[in-house]
Amino acid sequence: MKVHEYQAKALMAKYGIPVPKGGVAATPDEAKKVAAGLGGSVVVKAQVHAGGRGKAGGVKVVANPDEAAEFTKSILGTQLVTFQTGPEGVPVTSVLVEETMDIVKELYLAMLIEPSTRSIVVIASEAGGMDIEEVAATTPEKILRAVVDPTVGLQPYQGRQLAYGMGMAPELVRPAADLMIKLYKLFIENDCSQAEINPLVVTGDGRVLPVDAKLTIDDDAMFRHKDLAELRDAGQEDPLEAQANDIGVIYVRLDGDVGCLVNGAGLAMATMDVVTNVGAKPANFLDVGGGADEERIRAAVGILLSDPNVKRVLVNIFGGILRCDMLARGLVAAYADTKSTAPLVVRMLGTNAEEGRQVLSESGLNVTIAHTFNDAAEALRA
Amino acid sequence: MSILVNKDSRILVQGITGKEGSFHTLRCMEYGTNVVAGVTPGRGGSIFGDTSVPVFNTVEEAVRETGANVALIFVPAPFAADAIVESADAGIPLVVPIAEGIPPHDMVPVARYLDASTSTRMLGPNCPGLISPGDFCKVGIMPGAIHKAGKVGIVSRSGTLTYEAVGQLSGLDIGQSTCVGIGGDPVSGTTFVDVLRLFNEDPDTDAVVLIGEIGGTKEQEAAEFIKAEMKKPVASLIVGASAPPGKRMGHAGAIISGAAGRADEKMKALIAAGASPIPTPGDIGLTIQEILGK
C-alpha cells in the first residue's frame, strides 16, 4: 500500500525524524492558511501516488499565501500525468504546503528488503534528487549499501559509515546516522516494503531532512496495522484494481484488448507473454487463485469485462483445487451480469475440465476451445 | 532416485486439522506419501480423520514419537513464521511452508535464524511444495495424477506453471525425477542454485527444466552456477516479459525494479551460461524432448 508524501512525513515526524514545516490542504483556503502560518515563500506540492510530479507541473514555489491559494485552485480536481502514471493520470485531491529551504546538498536514502541477501538493505548516495536507477547505471561507485542483520538491527556505526561515505560534514554525521536509525525503526514497526527519501537535503542552517518521502506498507502485513489502513487513498488506485483488491483477487490493468482469466501468478504471466507473442495485447493480469469459489469468479470476471478495452477473452485454467466446471459457471454468470458478447478462447486442463467445457459450449457464448497453449495462442492471432 | 524427498521421507503436517491442511493431507496420502504425524495445538492425542495418523500438540513431541523428517506447513500466513521455527527447533531437516502472504518482515529474521542456528532447509514459502513421482512422495498441493516417474527435474518459482510443464512432459511420455517449487516470495529459503546443485549430483536426473520469472536476481545466480558447475542440460523459461515495470504481478517477488529484474536480462544470462531457451510457454515439453533426443 502506497501512502502520500504528507502521510509519510507525518509518520516520520512521529518517529522523531525532522521534517519540513508545513501542512496538508484540501481547498485553496486551507492552502492559504497554511502558507500564511509559515510566512514568506512556500512550496505547494500535489499529493499523488506517483513520482515525477515536479516535471509534470504538480509542484510550485510561490511567493505568498494568495499565490499558494491560486496554484492550489489550479491543480485541485485535475488529473496529474507523470512518467509513472498512465495517460489518464491520477487525481489531485490535496496539496502539501511547506516552507522553502536553503538547500546546500541533495542526498539519497532508501531502505528495502533485498531478495538476494534476504535482508533489509540501506541504500545511500551523494547523488540525490536524481533517478537512482540512472545513478546506479552510470556512476555505481556513488551508490553505498549497508546490509542489516535482523538479530541486532541497523547499527549507528553503519549510519555513520554511510554518512561519511556521502561526504557529509563531520558535525552532520551523527544527526544523519540518527535519522537512519529512526527510519529503520519506522520501517520495521510499520512493515514497510520500501522507504525512499529523495532528496534528503542538507540546509544552509545545518539541518538534515527529507524534502520528498515515499513509503510503501506491505499489503501482506496490513492485518496487523489496522491504524495504517485509514491511510489508504483508493482514489489513487485504478478503480478496477481497487474493486479486485476488495474481493481478494489480484488484478492488474494493462492497456491491451485481450482479457485474461488465469489461475496462478506464473501461468498468468506466461499467458500474457503468449498473447503478446502472437501480436495481440493483454488487457490485464488476473490471478483468481486456487481457492476461489463461484461467486468470487463471477465478481472477478465481472471486473475483467467491465474494462471497456476488452474485446476478447482468453481463459487458461489448470484445474487443481480449482474445479473447471465451477469456474465456467461463474464465468457464464458474469457474462450475463455484464451483458458482454466478447468472444472467448478457452483452454481448460485438470479437474473437471470436460464438464467445464460443456458448461461453456451450452452457454450460447461465442467460445473457441483450445487444447494446448500454442493452440490458444493461434486462436488469438488476428 | 530423486532429490530432497523419497520413499524414506516421513512427513509431518503442521495445521493438519485446518481446511487446507486436511484436504491436502488426504490428497498426499492418496498419492502414496508416508504421512506419519500431524500437529495442531490443542488437538493432541486425537487421530486425523479416518486415517491412522496421530495428531500432536507440539512438533517436538511428534518428532520424538514418529521420527518425522519433513514438515509440510499449512499454517496460515500470519502464524507461519512461528510454525517454521518450531519445526526447525525440533530438528526437522526440511520444512515446506505453503502459505502465500507471509509478511516479509517475518521471513527476514526467520531466514537468518535458519541459516545461522539450525541445519534446516526451508523450501518456500508461497510455493506448491515438491513431488518425487518415482517414490510416490508428494509433499505439497500439486495435482498428483499429472505426474509420471522419470528423469527430468523441474525447478520453478511458480505453481500452476510447474503443473503446465509437468502436463506437457507427461503428455510426451517424459517422466520427472523431482519437481520443486521454490515459491514466489522475495524472501525465501531454497534457491534455484540449491536445487540445481542437487539435480547435478542426482544420478537419476538427466536434464532440468528451470522456470523463472521477472523480479529479483535468482535466475542470474542460477546462470552463474550453470556456467561454473552444471554437467547436465538445462532448459529454461522466464515468464513476465510482457509485464509493465513497477507493477506487482501476483507473486510478491514478481515486480520489476531495475534492469536485472527484466525477463530478457535473465534469459540473456541463462543462454550465455549454456542453458537452452524455451521459446514460449507452450514449448516446454518439446524443448526437453529435443534435448533428450540428441
Side-chain angles (χ1 to χ4, degrees):
Chain A
M1 182 186 79
K2 289 181 181 173
V3 303
H4 284 298
E5 175 193 4
Y6 78 90
Q7 296 166 325
K9 284 179 173 168
L11 202 52
M12 287 178 183
K14 207 174 122 188
Y15 280 82
I17 295 172
V19 297
K21 291 194 269 301
V24 67
T27 66
D29 263 359
E30 284 175 21
K32 191 173 172 176
K33 265 184 214 145
V34 177
L38 293 169
S41 83
V42 296
V43 59
V44 181
K45 306 165 89 176
Q47 296 297 288
V48 292
H49 288 181
R53 293 174 301 170
K55 284 196 183 103
V59 178
K60 193 174 181 185
V61 175
V62 296
N64 55 56
D66 283 329
E67 284 184 21
E70 199 179 313
F71 178 65
T72 302
K73 193 175 172 202
S74 75
I75 53 169
L76 278 181
T78 65
Q79 298 282 120
L80 191 69
V81 181
T82 83
F83 75 98
Q84 285 188 356
T85 69
E88 70 282 0
V90 281
V92 182
T93 54
S94 63
V95 297
L96 177 61
V97 182
E98 282 185 340
E99 61 172 322
T100 52
M101 283 169 292
D102 168 27
I103 295 170
V104 295
K105 197 163 186 178
E106 292 193 322
L107 308 166
Y108 176 92
L109 181 67
M111 289 182 192
L112 52 94
I113 296 177
E114 187 178 65
S116 57
T117 53
R118 303 190 299 183
S119 301
I120 293 166
V121 175
V122 185
I123 312 274
S125 176
E126 63 184 278
M130 296 154 71
D131 175 11
I132 199 68
E133 289 286 350
E134 175 105 24
V135 176
T138 53
T139 48
E141 71 281 2
K142 288 187 179 166
I143 305 276
L144 309 173
R145 292 160 42 90
V147 178
V148 183
D149 186 317
T151 44
V152 290
L154 182 68
Q155 293 297 302
Y157 90 85
Q158 293 177 297
R160 293 196 299 271
Q161 203 163 312
L162 292 171
Y164 281 119
M166 288 191 283
M168 295 186 81
E171 69 275 15
L172 295 178
V173 165
R174 274 174 207 283
D178 184 54
L179 183 150
M180 291 181 215
I181 297 291
K182 286 170 174 160
L183 184 63
Y184 177 77
K185 191 166 181 326
L186 181 161
F187 191 86
I188 293 283
E189 291 182 356
N190 295 279
D191 274 287
C192 296
S193 49
Q194 210 159 1
E196 188 180 53
I197 299 177
N198 188 21
L200 174 72
V201 303
V202 177
T203 64
D205 54 356
R207 292 184 291 163
V208 180
L209 73 178
V211 158
D212 193 4
K214 288 196 182 72
L215 282 184
T216 309
I217 317 288
D218 196 88
D219 292 321
D220 291 332
M222 286 307 291
F223 69 90
R224 58 189 174 205
H225 296 290
K226 304 284 184 243
D227 53 323
L228 295 176
E230 66 192 37
L231 300 185
R232 181 177 173 203
D233 180 357
Q236 296 290 315
E237 300 164 18
D238 178 276
L240 294 182
E241 290 182 13
Q243 272 181 47
N245 185 46
D246 291 340
I247 61 163
V249 164
I250 302 155
Y251 169 91
V252 180
R253 193 172 183 179
L254 304 169
D255 56 2
D257 67 345
V258 181
C260 297
L261 175 64
V262 192
N263 64 328
L267 193 60
M269 277 187 271
T271 304
M272 284 164 48
D273 291 349
V274 163
V275 168
T276 308
N277 288 347
V278 295
K281 283 177 93 178
N284 65 279
F285 168 97
L286 172 60
D287 172 11
V288 294
D293 60 13
E294 192 172 324
E295 278 313 301
R296 197 194 293 185
I297 302 276
R298 179 178 182 168
V301 179
I303 291 168
L304 184 158
L305 291 173
S306 59
D307 175 355
N309 293 333
V310 169
K311 302 286 180 260
R312 302 178 284 171
V313 174
L314 172 60
V315 178
N316 190 14
I317 298 294
F318 209 116
I321 317 161
L322 181 69
R323 302 195 327 267
C324 293
D325 58 328
M326 187 207 68
L327 178 120
R329 283 193 298 273
L331 181 80
V332 171
Y335 263 78
D337 294 342
T338 57
K339 301 188 172 59
S340 172
T341 54
L344 290 145
V345 175
V346 176
R347 175 177 181 242
M348 285 180 175
L349 292 177
T351 315
N352 295 1
E354 190 49 50
E355 292 88 335
R357 285 191 285 265
Q358 195 172 340
V359 169
L360 291 177
S361 57
E362 289 167 0
S363 67
L365 298 172
N366 179 351
V367 178
T368 306
I369 300 288
H371 291 284
T372 68
F373 227 127
N374 293 344
D375 287 349
E378 286 311 312
L380 288 174
R381 200 183 283 278
Chain B
M1 266 289 283
S2 50
I3 65 166
L4 294 166
V5 292
N6 55 44
K7 57 186 186 317
D8 299 325
S9 298
R10 300 172 66 78
I11 317 300
L12 170 155
V13 179
Q14 284 174 273
I16 194 167
T17 53
K19 184 169 164 258
E20 300 254 317
S22 56
F23 176 84
H24 287 291
T25 301
L26 292 173
R27 301 291 89 75
C28 290
M29 292 176 76
E30 282 163 15
Y31 192 76
T33 309
N34 186 20
V35 177
V36 299
V39 171
T40 298
R43 301 290 282 273
S46 61
I47 297 293
F48 169 58
D50 297 329
T51 71
S52 58
V53 177
V55 179
F56 298 90
N57 285 323
T58 68
V59 176
E60 188 270 335
E61 192 186 358
V63 169
R64 185 157 30 87
E65 296 295 325
T66 68
N69 56 17
V70 178
L72 175 58
I73 305 177
F74 285 105
V75 173
F79 318 105
D82 176 40
I84 294 164
V85 174
E86 184 181 1
S87 269
D89 282 348
I92 293 193
L94 176 65
V95 300
V96 186
I98 301 294
E100 175 169 13
I102 302 177
H105 280 271
D106 288 359
M107 291 313 297
V108 166
V110 168
R112 180 64 57 107
Y113 175 69
L114 295 187
D115 280 355
S117 310
T118 75
S119 53
T120 296
R121 171 195 294 284
M122 174 169 66
L123 178 66
N126 187 12
C127 77
L130 74 171
I131 181 169
S132 294
D135 293 321
F136 302 102
C137 188
K138 166 174 129 77
V139 184
I141 59 173
M142 62 291 285
I146 60 173
H147 297 80
K148 214 176 144 58
K151 302 195 118 186
V152 173
I154 302 181
V155 59
S156 167
R157 277 167 73 181
S158 152
T160 43
L161 194 52
T162 310
Y163 315 161
E164 175 71 38
V166 170
Q168 289 183 27
L169 289 172
S170 295
L172 293 169
D173 209 24
I174 300 169
Q176 306 91 43
S177 52
T178 303
C179 308
V180 185
I182 63 171
D185 273 3
V187 181
S188 57
T190 302
T191 64
F192 279 131
V193 172
D194 296 330
V195 180
L196 287 174
R197 180 169 281 131
L198 292 167
F199 278 138
N200 208 22
E201 289 157 8
D202 176 32
D204 289 316
T205 296
D206 290 344
V208 178
V209 177
L210 182 152
I211 302 173
E213 60 192 35
I214 52 169
T217 53
K218 290 191 170 93
E219 292 78 5
Q220 282 86 344
E221 291 150 25
E224 279 175 34
F225 176 82
I226 291 169
K227 193 169 188 179
E229 298 186 39
M230 198 72 190
K231 301 182 296 248
K232 300 174 183 180
V234 177
S236 55
L237 173 70
I238 307 293
V239 299
S242 57
K247 288 268 194 177
R248 168 174 162 175
M249 293 288 125
H251 284 159
I255 176 165
I256 301 176
S257 48
R262 292 201 324 244
D264 55 349
E265 288 294 323
K266 289 166 183 282
M267 205 60 221
K268 209 159 73 186
L270 285 160
I271 292 172
S276 305
I278 297 173
T280 83
D283 297 330
I284 303 168
L286 292 171
T287 306
I288 282 290
Q289 191 177 46
E290 208 170 287
I291 287 173
L292 294 175
K294 275 175 193 166

